Amino acid sequence: MVGLHLDYGNKCITMQLVGEEIGASKLIEVINEIGVLYTYNGTRFDLPYIKVKLGIDLNKSCMHKDLMYDCWR
């Protein structure tokens, strides 16, 4: 499962991609709409996992901010 919360300022959308819905083209389509990708522990887990499973380097597709390190501070 990949869960996403998209904030467009005046409108928010929460979506979950499950099973066969998770694909490189769908994820790239969604990521192309955002400016910053926020994760918690995404640097060490989510982004490397997505890169291995889907062949997508999300660090090249958008700016990434891992909130885990801010929370630790």
Side-chain angles (χ1 to χ4, degrees), residues 3-16:
L4 301 159
H5 178 80
L6 306 170
D7 185 347
Y8 296 105
N10 61 343
K11 176 179 157 186
C12 294
I13 298 171
T14 300
M15 68 170 56
Q16 293 180 338

Side-chain angles (χ1 to χ4, degrees), residues 10-72:
N10 61 343
K11 176 179 157 186
C12 294
I13 298 171
T14 300
M15 68 170 56
Q16 293 180 338
L17 305 176
V18 181
E20 297 297 318
E21 296 175 336
I22 302 170
S25 60
K26 179 63 176 177
L27 195 52
I28 289 171
E29 177 185 322
V30 173
I31 294 299
N32 283 337
E33 295 181 22
I34 65 170
V36 180
L37 174 64
Y38 293 95
T39 65
Y40 185 89
N41 196 29
T43 301
R44 298 189 321 183
F45 179 76
D46 301 285
L47 274 54
Y49 187 83
I50 289 169
K51 186 174 182 179
V52 167
K53 291 295 184 178
L54 299 178
I56 304 169
D57 186 351
L58 293 180
N59 283 312
K60 292 181 180 178
S61 300
C62 61
M63 195 163 97
H64 173 239
K65 175 73 173 166
D66 192 331
L67 299 175
M68 179 177 72
Y69 302 107
D70 292 332
C71 290
W72 285 1

